[in-house]
């Protein structure tokens, strides 16, 4: 099995910055994609940012130009750098990693425990 551990959440003022990290461990043969989701009260969970195995990134429109997703393949770690934070960014942020557990194609879809990001003055 694959486990994800998140860190970096907390309280930040509007316009501030925060960086989330997520490290994967366990039965990992390869990583196909890593991403960050968030869920605010009363709203569905949404994909915020994603990075694929070839390094291609994508973002939800509301965070473009403010958030940056990156990875460290050697550490099996994905980061989310959040700048110019707004109150509407307040949510629980979840890390997601998908890939293969074995060379013969046993896939996994792992989720982190979630970390609260609160943007408030």
């Amino acid at each position: 099995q694959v486990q994800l551990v998140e860190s970096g959440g907390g309280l930040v003022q509007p316009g501030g910055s925060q960086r989330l990290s997520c490290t994967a461990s366990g039965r990992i043969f390869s990583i196909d994609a890593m991403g960050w989701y968030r869920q605010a009260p009363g709203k569905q969970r949404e994909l915020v940012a994603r990075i694929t195995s070839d390094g291609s990134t994508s973002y939800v429109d509301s965070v473009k130009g403010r958030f940056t997703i990156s990875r460290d393949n050697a550490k099996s770690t994905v980061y989310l750098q959040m700048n110019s934070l707004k109150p509407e960014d307040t949510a629980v942020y979840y890390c997601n990693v998908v890939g293969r557990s074995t060379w013969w194609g046993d896939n996994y879809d792992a989720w982190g425990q979630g970390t609260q990001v609160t943007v408030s003055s």
Side-chain angles (χ1 to χ4, degrees):
Q1 61 179 341
V2 176
Q3 301 84 39
L4 305 181
V5 178
E6 301 178 28
S7 64
L11 177 65
V12 62
Q13 292 187 335
S17 298
Q18 199 163 40
R19 190 176 81 154
L20 307 181
S21 65
C22 171
T23 299
S25 62
R27 192 171 168 84
I28 300 171
F29 174 73
S30 65
I31 295 174
D32 294 328
M34 311 178 89
W36 290 93
Y37 291 73
R38 68 185 181 188
Q39 187 165 25
K43 298 179 64 177
Q44 294 193 74
R45 186 173 299 188
E46 68 172 350
L47 177 62
V48 178
R50 183 172 180 256
I51 184 167
T52 57
S53 59
D54 65 355
S56 178
T57 60
S58 60
Y59 302 89
V60 67
D61 285 345
S62 60
V63 309
K64 287 181 178 177
R66 300 188 298 120
F67 290 12
T68 302
I69 188 170
S70 61
R71 68 185 181 192
D72 184 334
N73 289 336
K75 297 180 179 180
S76 296
T77 298
V78 62
Y79 306 93
L80 185 66
Q81 178 66 48
M82 304 182 292
N83 299 325
S84 301
L85 283 161
K86 304 175 180 179
E88 50 262 44
D89 295 317
T90 296
V92 177
Y93 284 71
Y94 297 90
C95 177
N96 173 242
V97 180
V98 298
R100 292 185 175 187
S101 293
T102 65
W103 67 268
W104 57 88
D106 191 7
N107 296 324
Y108 66 85
D109 185 347
W111 290 86
Q113 78 278 13
T115 184
Q116 177 71 45
V117 174
T118 301
V119 184
S120 176
S121 60

